[in-house]
Amino acid sequence: MSLAAWLPPDMAPAVALLLIAISLLTSALSAALGLGGGITLIAVMAQVLPVPALVPVHGVVQLGSNAGRALVLRRHVNWPAALWFALGGLAGALLGGSIAITLPAPVLRIGLGLFLLWMVWGHGPRLGHMPKRAMAAAGFVATTLSMFFGAAGPIGGAVLSALGLTRHGFVATQAMTALMMHVLKIVVFGLLGFAFAPWAGLIVLMIAAGFIGTLLGTRLLGRMPEHGFRIGFRLLMTGLAGSLVWRGAMALAAGG
């Protein structure tokens, strides 16, 4: 069976191969650092996918990636924190989903670009002195934003970082909270009528590549000099975010 048979209509095989490779690399990134993979993946996907499919497809792919990471590190999950996150996330998914489907594509592109810039260069939420139940608030905020922009893991990560978890505990619990967020998001988009079937083949290939990336990331990428990596990561994200804002602004200026 050819690669084209796995792809949605009108998607070039070269684009699919790029997305599969990026899925592998971003899963490795998240496995090594706990954060960064989801926001990188959606920044790349936003350059090539139609806006209505962007967040739902990204959500399913990230579900697979985070499930693999949570499975590999399941002994280290902090379950009370994860369950509080899921409780807030349920309300966030319902609220965000009811609004996200009504926004025009150019507005979503601009919003995603600005959101990426804030997550990369901003200081993020300051929740470090709040108790564990702050995970419920983080779940609500992160899942609501995720319905619009796809990747909001750093919000939950800001709270997790204050819980005194080990590195393995942080990565494992971050994976579990992200998994719960994406499950909620997919259910809501399904109820709202998004058709996942045309994208199923590409999603399966990206999830498989992501699991390989998870295995590689847990073994290899932790050795990368973190300071140098973060500089490169910020520059790449800035370029991708700028592209999204520009494309959205040009579409609005052209009346569409």
Side-chain angles (χ1 to χ4, degrees):
M1 182 181 295
S2 66
L3 176 61
W6 289 74
L7 306 181
D10 303 323
M11 174 171 283
V15 172
L17 289 173
L18 169 66
L19 293 176
I20 292 166
I22 293 296
S23 180
L24 187 153
L25 293 173
T26 54
S27 290
L29 169 63
S30 288
L33 301 179
L35 292 169
I39 200 169
T40 306
L41 179 62
I42 199 167
V44 175
M45 291 175 69
Q47 312 297 321
V48 297
L49 290 191
V51 168
L54 176 61
V55 174
V57 172
H58 175 267
V60 183
V61 173
Q62 283 294 283
L63 184 152
S65 174
N66 286 290
R69 194 158 69 255
L71 177 64
V72 171
L73 297 170
R74 60 190 179 278
R75 337 188 280 272
H76 303 284
V77 173
N78 183 309
W79 287 104
L83 293 175
W84 276 110
F85 185 96
L87 183 63
L90 177 59
L94 294 173
L95 174 64
S98 64
I99 300 172
I101 60 172
T102 66
L103 294 179
V107 174
L108 280 173
R109 287 194 187 278
I110 293 172
L112 175 58
L114 295 176
F115 179 74
L116 289 172
L117 289 173
W118 177 67
M119 295 305 286
V120 171
W121 293 103
H123 296 294
R126 296 304 185 196
L127 301 170
H129 298 294
M130 296 179 70
K132 289 185 178 182
R133 291 188 180 184
M135 289 304 298
F140 175 79
V141 174
T143 307
T144 301
L145 290 175
S146 183
M147 298 300 293
F148 298 103
F149 307 130
I155 294 174
V159 182
L160 286 175
S161 66
L163 299 186
L165 302 176
T166 65
R167 180 178 177 87
H168 283 84
F170 175 82
V171 173
T173 309
Q174 175 70 11
M176 183 57 66
T177 56
L179 172 61
M180 293 173 171
M181 179 173 64
H182 291 302
V183 167
L184 293 169
K185 182 166 60 178
I186 291 163
V187 169
V188 170
F189 275 120
L191 292 174
L192 292 172
F194 180 78
F196 287 96
W199 300 90
L202 176 65
I203 287 170
V204 168
L205 294 173
M206 291 181 68
I207 289 175
F211 186 70
I212 296 171
T214 293
L215 297 178
L216 293 175
T218 55
R219 296 185 178 185
L220 300 176
L221 289 188
R223 303 173 185 174
M224 180 183 297
E226 187 167 336
H227 178 68
F229 166 78
R230 291 194 179 277
I231 292 175
F233 173 73
R234 284 186 168 189
L235 293 176
L236 175 61
M237 288 298 98
T238 300
L240 291 171
S243 172
L244 289 172
V245 172
W246 174 260
R247 290 169 61 188
M250 290 300 98
L252 286 178

